[in-house]
Each structure stands twice: as C-alpha cells, then as structure tokens.
C-alpha cells in the first residue's frame, strides 16, 4: 500500500478467515498431488497449508481478529486436512508415500468423533463455552 494509507478495517478483520479459506482451496490440490504420487508438490502444498494454519491463528490472536466464522472454519479446515490426507494415505493406492494402516485412520476418526460429540454435549449442557487449544493437543495433532 502507498505510504500513509491503511487497509480498510473490514479487510484486515477477515484476513485470518481468508487465509483459512485458502487452506480449504489448497486441500483438494494437495489431495490430487498425493494421489498422483507427486511427492515434492504434495509436501510443498502440505507445508503451505501448515504455515497458513499457523499464520491465521497467530494473526487472529495477536491482533484480536477472532470472528465467529473463524472459530468454526479454522478447526473445520484442520480436521478436513488431517482426515483427508490420512484417508488418502491409507486407501489412496499411491506409492510415493508410506501407507498408513487403516486401523490407525479408524482410531483417529473415532477420536475426532468423540471430541466433536463431547464439545456438542458440553455446549448443550453449559451453553457458550470456549475451549482453548493447548500445546499438548496441538502436538498430538502434529504427530498424527
């Protein structure tokens, strides 16, 4: 931008959501690259998805740009990315990457269903509860 000019507040407010939307757009491309067995492209896209995940969260927290849409969209993008890539690694038939055991995918899927069920039950019983991510949970997701 030119010196002395600032971006409109509405554009800045939705920047983390736009980054999350970009992650959702990159996911099918990463899935396609994985199915083609294009290891460098797949790894590059997954790295871009991971960096953008960190960036949108950082911007939202650092500059108080958290929105109700982002609170839903960000974890949804995380879960879709995780599950899509795991399922493709287990059932995709590609050879560029190691195959993940299907029982492991079932275990991760069961964990996600359990967490979503628990969050819904807590919300129904208590109302609007904020469940904050902790480093232990982020590490667990990264290791999967």
């Amino acid at each position: 931008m030119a010196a002395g000019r600032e971006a409109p507040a509405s554009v800045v407010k939705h920047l983390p959501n736009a980054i999350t939307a970009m992650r959702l757009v990159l996911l099918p491309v990463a899935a396609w690259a994985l199915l083609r067995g294009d290891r460098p492209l797949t790894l590059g896209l997954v790295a871009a998805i991971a960096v953008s995940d960190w960036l949108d969260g950082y911007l939202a927290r650092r500059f108080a740009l958290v929105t109700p849409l982002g609170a839903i969209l960000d974890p949804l993008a995380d879960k879709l990315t995780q599950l899509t890539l795991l399922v493709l690694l287990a059932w995709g038939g590609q050879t560029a990457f190691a195959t993940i055991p299907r029982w492991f995918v079932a275990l991760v899927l069961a964990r996600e269903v359990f967490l979503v069920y628990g969050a819904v039950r807590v919300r129904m019983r208590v109302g609007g509860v904020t469940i904050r991510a902790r480093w232990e949970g982020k590490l667990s997701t990264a290791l999967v």
Side-chain angles (χ1 to χ4, degrees):
M1 295 213 149
R5 292 180 53 187
E6 294 183 25
S10 62
V11 171
V12 173
K13 179 180 180 185
H14 295 289
L15 182 59
N17 292 345
I19 294 170
T20 300
M22 182 196 68
R23 283 181 17 228
L24 289 168
V25 169
L26 287 178
L27 180 57
V29 180
W32 169 79
L34 189 146
L35 288 172
R36 283 191 53 223
D38 189 336
R39 190 177 190 135
L41 180 58
T42 303
L43 292 174
L45 288 167
V46 170
I49 289 169
V51 168
S52 66
D53 181 27
W54 172 84
L55 181 62
D56 71 40
Y58 172 79
L59 292 173
R61 286 186 304 274
R62 171 71 172 87
F63 299 106
L65 300 173
V66 177
T67 64
L69 176 62
I72 294 169
L73 204 56
D74 183 67
L76 177 65
D78 293 344
K79 301 305 177 200
L80 281 174
T81 300
Q82 180 186 42
L83 293 174
T84 298
L85 296 176
L86 280 174
V87 166
L88 291 178
L89 287 170
W91 281 279
Q94 48 63 39
T95 57
F97 295 91
T99 302
I100 292 180
R102 292 178 180 172
W103 64 264
F104 182 75
V105 177
L107 185 66
V108 171
L109 183 58
R111 172 187 171 262
E112 296 304 325
V113 168
F114 179 73
L115 289 173
V116 169
Y117 173 77
V120 169
R121 292 287 298 170
V122 166
R123 195 175 225 20
M124 288 172 55
R125 288 188 135 226
V126 180
V129 175
T130 301
I131 301 172
R132 297 191 188 269
R134 295 178 48 138
W135 72 268
E136 298 94 341
K138 289 182 178 279
L139 177 63
S140 167
T141 299
L143 292 176
V144 169

